[in-house]
Structures are given as structure tokens and as C-alpha cells.
Amino acid sequence: MPWSNQSGGGGGGPWGPRKPGPWGGGPQGGGGGAPPDLEELLRRSQDRIRQVMPGGQMGGKGILAVAIGAVLLWAATGFYTVRPDEVGLNLVFGRYVGTTQPGLNYNFPYPIGSVVKPRVTVVNTTEVGYRTSDPMRRVSSRDVTEESLMLTGDENIVDIDFAVQWQINPAKAADYVFNIQSPESSVKAVAESAMREVVGRRNIQQILTTDRGPVEAEVKQVMQDTLNHYGAGVEIRLVQLQKVDPPAQVIDAFRDVQAARQDQDRARNEADTYASKVVPEARGEAARIVQEAEAYRERVVAEANGQASRFTQVYEEYRKAPDITRQRMYLETMERVLGGADKIIVDQNSAGAQGIVPYLPLNELQRRPGTGAQR
């Protein structure tokens, strides 16, 4: 609808005679065509423009108003929104001046200022030694041997595929944006270098069996220290070994070597077990023999000392009364000699019965079992 259409007459406005509207002829007289409120709005707008630009010419006030409006409109473009998973980095003439948190923020509009908004909560995954066609399902598509083949501390080659999960450190987002040019390549290069360093300090047997967890933890620490030294603003979340095997060309020979080592370990364990059994038994037997010998020595020495003491005591008594001692010794000797022999007593002083004295062996009767003796 033309700006000069104020009434139904044919007069022209400041831009010339009235022209028909886009749907044919304009509104006629007071009969209508467009709603009255729209006409009133247009009329008021034209009056205000005429006040700014009297006579249809743009004056100083008009230029000032247009300039102020343009400046305000340009300044309004400095408002921006930071989402919850982002951090805003404000730049003024290309220089970093500060960080803004999620929400509505303001910075100088373009071209004076700009805003970089990296996503700090997204967990990125870098694959080393392999590439997956579907990272979400971890479907391996191909093996990258130039990255996965590594030399161990015992000069063997091991094929290692692993993944690194990392994200931007929210407190160091500016370092991530401004200090490294290619974050993905940098993280991948650091990961491969750290893994080669850790693997080079271990034997292949440890890597294949018991040290998978320690290798992951040590690689993570080495990567984090290296990236912190570079000021990369990257936080390593996880290092996970996907595959640890000998190279495919020598895996059969490696299995044979492992089987031979297992047989060697088994034989050594059996020998250690036998030695652990025999050696204590031999030591125990030796200790027993030594103890028996010592006991025999103590017994013999004690008996000899006792005999010597007895002889000394007898000799001392003999010196005091030799006749009595000789008589007692004679009787004791005869008692030992004749104690178990059959005896017949002959009385040499007896005149009758040929000197034979009847002898009743009471001790033998007491030893014989029988009913007659018990009566």
C-alpha cells in the first residue's frame, strides 16, 4: 500500500501521485478497502517521518536518528547465548579477554568482538591402531599396523589396539582453543607416544597377562602430564586396551614358545615341591640322629661318672674297714652269682645225714602258679 494513501481523494503525497495497490486500485473515498486501524497507523507513521524530514528532505535530525538507530541495532547484535554444554570465550580484535558461563551474555559486536563456544561436556574418542566403521557399536573395520605394532622391553613385538576418551577441560577451554591447532591429531600423537614408552619398559609376557590394568593407568598419567605441559586444555578420561596380541605372522610360534615356557615352569614347580619335601625331611632326620648321639653321650658319661663315684665311695669305705668290706663284697658277689642257680646246702659240721640240710625254696614256690601253693 503506498505511503501517500491518506484519503479517498486523488491528491499525491510527498512521493508523487497515488498509485494503485498490489491487488488493483487503492481504497476509494471513505468506502474502505483496508481496515481503518491500518490506515491510521500508516498516517501516523507518515506524520512522524515528515517531522524528522520536513519537506521530504532528510535533515540533520534525520541523519542523527538514523545513525543512532543503526548503532543501537548493531550494538544489539552483541548479545549471544551460551548453552549448558558450552563455554563462551570472548574476543576483542582477535584477543582473548574472558570467559562466560552458560546463559545470556554480551560482547562487542562484529567486527570488533567475536565469541568462540567450544563444547566442553562432549566426550571424544581417539582410536589408535585400528579404525571403526561404527564408533557407537565399536565395530572394527580395519587394523592400522603402523600404529599398533610396538617394541617391548624384552625386544619382542606386540600388536596393541587401544582407545582414548577425552574431553575439553572446562577450566582451560581457552588453552584448548588457542594453544593447539589440531586437537584430534595432537591427542592421537601423544597417545601413541605414551603407549610406546610404557610398553618399552615391560616384558611381553607381563603385557599379555597381568599388566593390562597398570599399563592403562600409566598411559593415562603420561598422556595427561604431556598434554598439561603443552597447555592443551584436554582432560583424559579413560585409556582402554582393545586388543593385545603378538603379531599375526608369528602368533603360532609365539604360542609354541608360551607352551614350552609353561612346561618349564611346571617342571620347575614340581622340582621345587620335591625339594621342599625332601630337604626338611633330611634336616629332621639329621637333627634326630644328632639328638640321639648327644643323648647317648650324656647317658654314657653320666653312667661312667656314677661308676667312678661308686668306686670312689666303696674304696673310701674299704679303707675304713677292709675286712668287713671284703666280706660284704664277697657276699654281694656270691649273691649275684648264685642268685639264679639251683642250690644244695651241705653242712660240713653235721655228723648225721651225711651233712645234707633240707632246703625249702620258698621263693620258687611263690613264683609258681597253682592251686596247691595257694592253699
Side-chain angles (χ1 to χ4, degrees):
M1 184 171 293
W3 289 94
S4 60
N5 186 14
Q6 296 184 18
S7 63
W15 291 278
R18 186 187 64 182
K19 296 182 181 179
W23 291 279
Q28 304 295 326
D37 56 342
L38 182 58
E39 293 289 343
E40 183 66 19
L41 178 62
L42 292 175
R43 185 184 64 77
R44 292 178 181 177
S45 299
Q46 291 176 0
D47 291 341
R48 292 175 182 175
I49 292 175
R50 287 192 182 94
Q51 291 177 2
V52 177
M53 297 177 294
Q57 300 294 328
M58 181 177 295
K61 292 183 179 180
I63 296 175
L64 180 60
V66 171
I68 293 174
V71 170
L72 292 176
L73 182 63
W74 172 75
T77 61
F79 288 98
Y80 64 93
T81 302
V82 178
R83 293 185 297 182
D85 62 339
E86 297 175 339
V87 170
L89 304 178
N90 291 337
L91 306 178
V92 176
F93 294 112
R95 181 179 181 180
Y96 169 69
V97 295
T99 303
T100 55
Q101 299 303 318
L104 182 63
N105 299 277
Y106 183 82
N107 190 24
F108 291 102
Y110 181 84
I112 298 177
S114 60
V115 180
V116 180
K117 296 183 286 186
R119 302 179 64 184
V120 296
T121 60
V122 175
V123 178
N124 305 282
T125 301
T126 299
E127 301 168 344
V128 181
Y130 71 104
R131 297 295 182 271
T132 56
S133 57
D134 188 355
M136 298 302 296
R137 296 183 179 179
R138 300 291 181 190
V139 178
S140 180
S141 58
R142 64 187 181 92
D143 191 15
V144 184
T145 56
E146 58 270 19
E147 297 177 359
S148 61
L149 294 180
M150 302 182 184
L151 188 64
T152 63
D154 55 352
E155 298 181 357
N156 286 303
I157 297 177
V158 64
D159 189 358
I160 297 180
D161 295 346
F162 67 100
V164 178
Q165 294 183 1
W166 57 277
Q167 69 179 60
I168 303 172
N169 189 341
K172 300 179 180 179
D175 293 342
Y176 174 82
V177 173
F178 303 119
N179 289 353
I180 54 177
Q181 184 175 6
S182 179
E184 288 279 353
S185 300
S186 299
V187 172
K188 180 175 174 296
V190 171
E192 184 177 350
S193 175
M195 182 62 73
R196 292 185 184 277
E197 176 184 351
V198 173
V199 169
R201 294 198 293 259
R202 284 178 167 82
N203 297 334
I204 187 171
Q205 187 65 27
Q206 298 174 341
I207 299 173
L208 294 176
T209 55
T210 60
D211 280 5
R212 294 174 66 98
V215 166
E216 294 174 346
E218 189 172 352
V219 170
K220 177 183 176 182
Q221 186 62 43
V222 172
M223 287 187 62
Q224 191 65 66
D225 294 341
T226 304
L227 293 171
N228 291 342
H229 178 72
Y230 292 161
V234 172
E235 180 181 356
I236 303 299
R237 298 287 302 276
L238 178 67
V239 175
Q240 185 175 13
L241 295 175
Q242 303 293 333
K243 182 187 72 172
V244 182
D245 290 323
Q249 297 84 348
V250 297
I251 191 170
D252 293 335
F254 183 82
R255 289 174 178 171
D256 293 339
V257 172
Q258 292 301 110
R261 287 181 177 176
Q262 291 177 359
D263 293 339
Q264 180 185 9
D265 294 339
R266 179 181 56 79
R268 183 182 293 110
N269 293 334
E270 292 177 354
D272 292 340
T273 303
Y274 178 75
S276 300
K277 177 183 178 181
V278 172
V279 171
E281 291 180 353
R283 290 176 178 174
E285 184 67 17
R288 184 184 62 81
I289 294 174
V290 171
Q291 291 176 358
E292 289 180 354
E294 291 177 351
Y296 175 76
R297 181 190 63 185
E298 296 294 335
R299 180 175 59 83
V300 171
V301 171
E303 289 179 354
N305 291 332
Q307 292 291 338
S309 177
R310 176 179 174 277
F311 178 82
T312 302
Q313 294 175 2
V314 171
Y315 177 72
E316 292 295 333
E317 295 297 329
Y318 175 77
R319 290 178 58 187
K320 294 178 182 178
D323 296 335
I324 297 175
T325 304
R326 283 197 296 268
Q327 185 67 26
R328 181 177 61 80
M329 292 176 63
Y330 173 78
L331 295 176
E332 291 177 353
T333 303
M334 294 304 293
E335 180 181 0
R336 287 197 302 272
V337 171
L338 300 176
D342 295 333
K343 294 174 285 295
I344 297 176
I345 300 175
V346 178
D347 187 5
Q348 297 178 357
N349 299 324
S350 177
Q354 298 180 355
I356 299 175
V357 179
Y359 170 71
L360 180 63
L362 297 177
N363 55 346
E364 293 182 3
L365 293 175
Q366 291 177 354
R367 289 197 298 267
R368 291 178 182 176
T371 56
Q374 293 178 356
R375 292 174 186 172

